[in-house]
Amino acid sequence: MMNSTAPTLLLAGLNDKQLEAVTLPHQSALILAGAGSGKTRVLTTRIAWLIQTGQVSPHGILSVTFTNKAAKEMLTRLGAMLPINIRGMWAGTFHGLCNRLLRAHHREVNLPATFQILDTADQLSAIKRIMKVMNVDDEKFPPKQVLGYINSCKEEGLRAYAVESYDSHSQRMREIFEEYDKQCQREGVVDFAELLLRCYELLSNNASIREHYQHRFRYILVDEFQDTNRLQYLWLRLLAGSDNCIFAVGDDDQSIYAFRGARVGNMRDFEHDFNVQNIVKLEQNYRSHSNILDAANAIIMHNRNRLGKNLWTSAGKGEPIRVYEGYNDKDEAVFIVDEIKALHAEGMELGQIALLYRSNAQSRILEHELFSAGLPYRVYGGLRFFERAEVKHALAYLRLIASGDDDTALLRVINFPTRGIGARSLEQLQELARQQDSSLWQAACTKAGDGKPGRGLDGFVALIKQMQEESIGLTLPEQVELATRLSGLRDHYAADKEGEDRIANLDELVNAAIAFNNQEIGMQVDENGEVAMSILAQFLAHASLESGEHQADAGRDALQLMTVHAAKGLEFNTVFISGVEEGLFPHEQSSFEANGLEEERRLMYVAVTRARQRLYLSFAQSRMLHGQVRYGIPSRFLDEIPEELTKRLNSIGSKSNGYNQPVPVAPVARPQANMPWKIGQAVAHSKFGQGVVVNYEGNANDLRVQVNFGKAGMKWLALEYAKLETL
DNA sequence: TGGGATTACCTTTTT
DNA sequence: GGTAATCCCA
């Protein structure tokens, strides 16, 4: 059934390299796809081409991405390319796919059919809980640190028993890890990393299941390969077996998630382990003008350990990169807002302008100025819909309807809205649960029997039982409505004068349930013909795995505010990168990590390559950070951009040319009596070069100053010895 | 037990 | 500076 004209049509308009990648033979391949080089197009066209040329049916394809958004986009584009039904294809995130596999084979991995998924906040509270039981000092073992430890172990593919411990501290960590996993198993819950690890174990311990899927998925395609962690890589290797081929697309220069376990090294390992003969580099950029690309290339060139790649474009040089220097953060923000106002007045859509920053804390002052100027804007990131407190409360009630043994859910709402169950009653309950080795819910039932309506533990038990009974036979949206009402959540928020938004969110949850219900109907039997879990359990899994995507007023034309991380994969006509200062970008913390600076540089590379036509870089001499005024100097990344690509919009300080010079809005430094040095003073050192005084200690006779030298780093210098010149 | 007050935190983030 | 968690008192 091969259609000879269709593939030609499909391939029309691809450049040579893209065409080569799309039509590679059945072998593993690595596609190095630079920013804006048509990566998603190659990926989707590859799938369409494989199907259309009859090499494989949709059933034989597995497509893996990192975000639900990317998965959705791929399916949408594919749907537009192919006239046939692609339902049989598996496409999703690593976590979504593992969830699917575990649901289908829950018996083999010893999980209940209705196992629940803990998000990070749930996981943290579960860790705190087990630490309390184990009597662990949370000063010595900060729960967040324990969480990081457990997740990174799992992401390396390690169980507690397999972790090495060198001293009593790491030994204790290991024990907490072990007990935490036991607790999760008891409660029938899994965290995000566990989804992957459990699935990996399923495939590695169970030959027939492994072979089944190996036989099925002849073609595996992976997006953003540079972001895979160790375990994801091992999982892929297991699924691929010896016969299947992996089509990996990635860009080592855009690897910005090492801090959460991503291993760029997987790209080199992949080359070796899969005997990759085909490495295709997509270097032609269809997004930006060459001034922008040249700047990006110049920056990333300073990194060692690259696979090597240089973006080019046939578009012209375009506009110079505009650089602005502010006196302080407010001055910088005012400049950005004025500039955006002017662009908007000239007719540019606000949605085509992005305002990027390194860390979320920077958005506040920008938002303040935008708000005063009356410019509509939208901030990405921050609290997601399914992570809002009221939504999590409602979901906890639903989880208790699905399975009472979920201790995390029970603890979240046993006294919310308050019903007179305090710390003492809880302790008694936990003690009883421990004695009879049961879940808290079972202990509560023992204590209260069937319970009687009202306050206290009796009331709570009666309430949950009532919910469980009344929800039988209801549709999903009705169940959600029932939970939000019977629980008293609605009444509680109605009594609160600021509860309006929260009730609106509860309504939105009902809407989400309606949407989910419509979409999932008819999908309740899995491919083996087994009756799948209840629609409620499916909805709960969906809520954990897809916490984002529920954003209000997405349609309105508004300026886009986000961190550089959040901007990855997006593009805009005009991009502002603010706070391009030492200590902020590159971030101070990065210097404590191995290769931290290189990751910051990749981050800058990502930021710069978001812009199509116009790019602004701005920095400020001083800014409020953590409630203190901090003095910074321009980022080293600015120096890495060739001067001929940039245009300085202003110049303040000694190098003033008088052009467009703003008036100082606030005293920059506070002068110190009897001090030859003041904070904010520019200085020069014979070895470290130029810098700025940021702090001092001691008295006039024995004074030490802290100087930010930028490239040479932050130094404490004793004035008695160090030869410092004022500038 | 629960609400008001005080105090520790503070890069980046998807699942 | 802003928030979330914890502390303390009624």
Side-chain angles (χ1 to χ4, degrees), chain A residues 203-222:
Chain A
L203 295 171
S204 83
N205 298 337
N206 197 312
S208 67
I209 292 177
R210 179 174 67 243
E211 282 157 15
H212 169 79
Y213 288 103
Q214 283 178 345
H215 187 71
R216 171 170 178 176
F217 297 123
R218 303 287 290 143
Y219 288 86
I220 301 171
L221 299 97
V222 191

Side-chain angles (χ1 to χ4, degrees), chain A residues 482-504:
Chain A
L482 176 88
T484 57
R485 192 166 34 82
L486 276 190
S487 62
L489 284 174
R490 279 178 187 277
D491 289 344
H492 177 263
Y493 290 125
D496 186 343
K497 52 186 178 297
E498 281 157 31
E500 250 177 73
D501 287 352
R502 297 184 183 269
I503 289 184

Side-chain angles (χ1 to χ4, degrees), chain A residues 305-606:
Chain A
N305 287 324
R306 295 177 61 214
L307 295 175
K309 189 167 44 45
N310 229 17
L311 291 178
W312 62 276
T313 177
S314 59
K317 288 178 88 64
E319 303 174 24
I321 294 164
R322 293 165 166 83
V323 179
Y324 180 83
E325 175 172 13
Y327 277 98
N328 52 32
D329 44 359
K330 183 177 161 67
D331 179 32
E332 183 194 26
V334 168
F335 162 75
I336 291 172
V337 171
D338 285 348
E339 203 69 18
I340 292 171
K341 267 201 262 181
L343 287 170
H344 188 45
E346 286 167 24
M348 185 177 291
E349 271 179 49
L350 289 175
Q352 274 308 315
I353 307 175
L355 179 39
L356 309 183
Y357 35 81
R358 174 65 180 82
S359 63
N360 278 314
Q362 285 167 258
S363 80
R364 200 184 46 82
I365 185 154
L366 296 166
E367 284 186 67
H368 181 82
E369 293 303 324
L370 287 168
F371 188 81
S372 319
L375 277 174
Y377 63 91
R378 190 176 158 204
V379 187
Y380 285 77
L383 210 48
R384 287 151 203 291
F385 179 72
F386 285 112
E387 287 168 3
R388 291 173 178 282
E390 62 275 19
V391 174
K392 291 216 76 172
H393 282 131
L395 289 172
Y397 279 107
L398 288 165
R399 274 160 65 166
L400 288 175
I401 292 176
S403 152
D405 293 338
D406 189 336
D407 286 3
T408 307
L410 182 136
L411 286 169
R412 173 175 276 277
V413 291
I414 191 168
N415 200 32
F416 193 95
T418 52
R419 46 178 75 86
I421 304 173
R424 271 195 56 76
S425 345
L426 253 186
E427 227 163 83
Q428 289 169 9
L429 192 63
Q430 280 168 323
E431 181 53 38
L432 180 63
R434 215 167 308 148
Q435 276 172 20
Q436 58 184 41
D437 193 27
S438 73
S439 68
L440 291 171
W441 170 244
Q442 283 160 10
C445 291
T446 315
K447 257 187 130 183
D450 276 346
K452 40 191 177 300
R455 289 173 63 81
L457 195 64
D458 279 10
F460 180 71
V461 170
L463 174 67
I464 299 299
K465 288 198 167 161
Q466 186 193 354
M467 281 184 180
Q468 287 174 341
E469 277 160 27
E470 287 191 22
S471 69
I472 295 169
L474 295 186
T475 65
L476 176 65
E478 287 166 348
Q479 290 182 18
V480 176
E481 168 63 30
L482 176 88
T484 57
R485 192 166 34 82
L486 276 190
S487 62
L489 284 174
R490 279 178 187 277
D491 289 344
H492 177 263
Y493 290 125
D496 186 343
K497 52 186 178 297
E498 281 157 31
E500 250 177 73
D501 287 352
R502 297 184 183 269
I503 289 184
N505 282 327
L506 292 180
D507 290 336
E508 188 56 32
L509 185 64
V510 177
N511 287 338
I514 292 171
F516 186 80
N517 200 38
N518 294 341
Q519 186 192 322
E520 294 298 311
I521 255 164
M523 301 250 314
Q524 302 196 28
V525 173
D526 71 17
E527 60 192 283
N528 304 321
E530 286 186 45
V531 180
M533 53 180 182
S534 71
I535 183 102
L536 174 58
Q538 287 180 59
F539 180 64
L540 291 170
H542 165 85
S544 305
L545 288 173
E546 240 172 285
S547 52
E549 305 310 305
H550 249 275
Q551 289 268 8
D553 55 71
R556 192 178 55 149
D557 181 39
L559 178 70
Q560 313 281 301
L561 264 73
M562 65 193 86
T563 63
V564 180
H565 282 91
K568 192 171 140 202
L570 306 176
E571 59 178 75
F572 305 91
N573 212 309
T574 297
V575 169
F576 288 82
I577 307 174
S578 66
V580 187
E581 291 146 38
E582 284 296 302
L584 206 58
F585 201 174
H587 201 278
E588 222 162 25
Q589 304 285 325
S590 69
S591 58
F592 302 121
E593 280 156 32
N595 304 317
L597 184 64
E598 295 219 340
E599 178 140 326
E600 293 290 310
R601 192 174 277 113
R602 290 192 294 267
L603 203 46
M604 183 53 100
Y605 176 78
V606 168

Side-chain angles (χ1 to χ4, degrees), chain A residues 603-670:
Chain A
L603 203 46
M604 183 53 100
Y605 176 78
V606 168
V608 167
T609 52
R610 296 310 97 196
R612 280 199 287 264
Q613 287 179 15
R614 189 184 280 217
L615 177 65
Y616 290 85
L617 304 175
S618 61
F619 57 94
Q621 288 185 338
S622 74
R623 76 172 60 237
M624 277 295 248
L625 215 60
H626 309 316
Q628 272 185 330
V629 180
R630 297 263 307 246
Y631 296 85
I633 60 171
S635 167
R636 71 192 75 191
F637 298 146
L638 277 171
D639 298 335
E640 293 173 5
I641 301 175
E643 220 165 299
E644 63 269 22
L645 302 177
T646 65
K647 174 182 168 191
R648 288 219 157 218
L649 296 179
N650 69 339
S651 180
I652 56 184
S654 56
K655 281 180 289 175
S656 170
N657 58 10
Y659 167 72
N660 195 19
Q661 192 171 350
V663 178
V665 287
V668 173
R670 59 194 148 104

